[in-house]
Amino acid sequence: MKTTIIVIGDELLIGQVTDTNSGMIARLMAPHGWEVEQVMTVADDREAIREAVGRALDSTPVVLTTGGLGPTKDDITKAVLTDIFGGELREDPDVLANVREVVERRGLKLNDLTAAQAIVPTSCRVIQNRVGTAPLMWFERTDGHILVAMPGVPFETREMFSSAVMPMLLQRFPSPDHIEHRTLVVADISESALATRLAPWESALPPYAHLAYLPKPGVVRLRIDGRHTDAGFLKKEIDRLADELALLAAGNLMCRGDITPARCLLDMLVERHLTVGTAESCTGGNIAHTITAEPGSSAAMLGGVVSYSNDVKRRLLGVSEASLEAHGAVSIPVVKEMASGARKALGCDIALATSGIAGPGGAVPGKPVGTVCIAVATPWGLWADTFHFPGNRERVIDRATTTAIIRAIRELQSHP
């Protein structure tokens, strides 16, 4: 099924807010075989919204809008949709009761502006927003094309789209096809080199299967998508193709499943009853943050040290003054001592350490911006290397974080 997403809001067009809703919606629809044909971004302007909605409804059978449903004067989406689909704006007592419940659950008092959220078009089917005050609205045109208006708050959109909107769309547009997906995550190889390796296998794929390359910094996700009317046949075939792909990606395969490197590392640690800790300089705690952002991380993550200054490196991690003077903080000897010191200080089995120059300043001869030394200390040894990551400060920190986690995974894979 083809869909159009319209994201509404002046703040999106001036760069004050970044649109995350369209990507989130696309990811939630993909497992069901639904595709986004286009994404439009429009201002809080009557004619702009009207033109975008009309064009979208003419080109795809399903249109999803986010934003413009708030209680302030610049939120005009409800009024425009009433003009397009007919009817009039009236207070809905059921919506008002839901708004009051949501507000009271937050420990707040209902004011007139928030109560006005209960005023909705009579031409729509209301979908109660259980996590916010702006109701969702389902409109249907005479030709059967659907528009669903949703709030712009990402949390509300995600929760309501998953629990209510997507199930309703699947019921309204049933398909005889069954969908299967398998994802493998590979590292230490470029997308182009990987595509070259897999080209003969990819060319021989049966018509009911498709391979997608989904690169992210440091990794490439390989997703096999299958569609067929026979569910049992499809599952068996997609499993077979995933096994073949895993063999072809051997040496670069990091994990099976659409999971992050941090999730992969944690799963391996928990399975082997091992713990992890961090000692971070240039990444400033981002490795620890990335690991602890995963649910259940406390089963393996013990803690971390942000040793930004040399004094902290010496006092908390036991880095020697001799190593700092002879090699500098951004060096293999120092990062090795940081990792070893973290294992001792935190009492963990595996320790990840980073020291580098994230920029934009700080470069010295022989160590340009983007130079990062990474070490992984384990019960069976100590690994370390120097990397050069391009890009701005944020990108260097992100790449260093991902690379450190991947190196820890590789250490575990090499010592099963």
Side-chain angles (χ1 to χ4, degrees):
M1 179 65 67
K2 300 289 187 180
T3 64
T4 296
I5 299 175
I6 303 174
V7 289
I8 302 168
D10 293 337
E11 67 278 7
L12 297 162
L13 292 169
I14 64 175
Q16 188 178 42
V17 174
T18 300
D19 166 40
T20 59
N21 281 330
S22 59
M24 175 269 297
I25 292 169
R27 289 190 295 273
L28 291 173
M29 290 194 300
H32 304 285
W34 287 48
E35 300 176 10
V36 177
E37 186 170 274
Q38 57 184 332
V39 176
M40 304 181 191
T41 305
V42 298
D44 292 302
D45 177 84
R46 287 180 177 272
E47 288 308 311
I49 297 172
R50 179 188 294 274
E51 191 276 334
V53 168
R55 183 152 48 95
L57 283 169
D58 289 341
S59 61
T60 56
V62 176
V63 177
L64 305 168
T65 72
T66 69
L69 301 183
T72 57
K73 290 182 179 180
D74 60 332
D75 293 310
I76 58 174
T77 301
K78 279 194 292 189
V80 175
L81 294 177
T82 304
D83 291 342
I84 294 173
F85 289 95
E88 59 182 350
L89 288 166
R90 290 182 184 173
E91 182 178 277
D92 185 314
D94 292 333
V95 176
L96 182 60
N98 184 73
V99 171
R100 181 176 286 109
E101 179 186 337
V102 170
V103 170
E104 291 177 353
R105 196 164 59 234
R106 295 173 178 175
L108 303 174
K109 291 184 178 180
L110 182 65
N111 58 44
D112 292 342
L113 203 59
T114 304
Q117 296 279 50
I119 299 174
V120 295
T122 56
S123 52
C124 80
R125 174 184 176 184
V126 171
I127 304 172
Q128 297 285 17
N129 186 347
R130 301 302 181 186
V131 292
T133 58
L136 287 72
M137 296 171 289
W138 175 294
F139 297 88
E140 186 161 351
R141 209 164 64 169
T142 54
D143 61 1
H145 286 206
I146 301 293
L147 182 143
V148 183
M150 300 180 289
V153 180
F155 166 73
E156 296 180 25
T157 304
R158 181 178 65 252
E159 292 296 316
M160 293 308 302
F161 186 82
S162 298
S163 63
V165 177
M166 194 70 230
M168 292 172 64
L169 289 172
L170 292 172
Q171 185 177 27
R172 176 63 177 78
F173 299 98
S175 171
D177 290 338
H178 296 274
I179 307 296
E180 290 283 348
H181 303 280
R182 301 291 184 274
T183 301
L184 286 73
V185 184
V186 299
D188 305 321
I189 186 172
S190 68
E191 182 183 6
S192 58
L194 188 61
T196 299
R197 182 195 298 180
L198 300 179
W201 180 84
E202 187 177 1
S203 298
L205 283 173
Y208 50 80
H210 170 74
L211 178 65
Y213 295 80
L214 307 170
K216 296 182 72 175
V219 299
V220 179
R221 291 176 296 157
L222 296 171
R223 192 185 69 210
I224 306 172
D225 302 318
R227 181 192 293 265
H228 201 278
T229 56
D230 188 328
F233 169 82
L234 182 64
K235 183 180 185 305
K236 181 178 178 181
E237 282 295 288
I238 297 304
D239 283 339
R240 177 183 65 82
L241 292 172
D243 289 340
E244 291 180 359
L245 185 58
L247 288 174
L248 290 170
N252 297 106
L253 182 64
M254 190 176 72
C255 60
R256 296 180 69 149
D258 192 6
I259 61 177
T260 64
R263 179 76 266 161
C264 178
L265 174 61
L266 283 168
D267 289 347
M268 295 177 72
L269 291 169
V270 171
E271 182 181 358
R272 295 169 65 169
H273 305 287
L274 297 173
T275 56
V276 66
T278 61
E280 304 181 59
S281 184
C282 65
T283 48
N286 197 53
I287 299 174
H289 164 73
T290 301
I291 293 173
T292 56
E294 295 291 334
S297 57
S298 60
M301 179 67 176
L302 295 189
V305 177
V306 180
S307 53
Y308 219 64
S309 72
N310 286 347
D311 183 54
V312 173
K313 290 180 178 68
R314 287 189 294 263
R315 288 190 297 107
L316 297 187
L317 299 176
V319 175
S320 68
E321 184 66 38
S323 294
L324 287 166
E325 289 184 359
H327 306 286
V330 183
S331 65
I332 294 294
V334 167
V335 82
K336 280 184 173 181
E337 291 182 30
M338 288 172 62
S340 297
R343 278 198 73 211
K344 182 178 180 180
L346 300 172
C348 56
D349 299 300
I350 311 289
L352 288 62
T354 59
S355 186
I357 306 168
V364 296
K367 297 177 183 179
V369 169
T371 302
V372 180
C373 296
I374 298 174
V376 179
T378 68
W380 49 85
L382 187 58
W383 173 94
D385 203 352
T386 300
F387 297 83
H388 299 279
F389 300 120
N392 60 17
R393 183 179 183 85
E394 181 181 10
R395 184 171 175 81
V396 170
I397 291 172
D398 285 345
R399 286 300 305 273
T401 296
T402 301
T403 301
I405 293 172
I406 290 173
R407 296 337 302 171
I409 292 170
R410 293 303 190 211
E411 282 298 300
L412 290 168
Q413 288 176 329
S414 63
H415 293 83

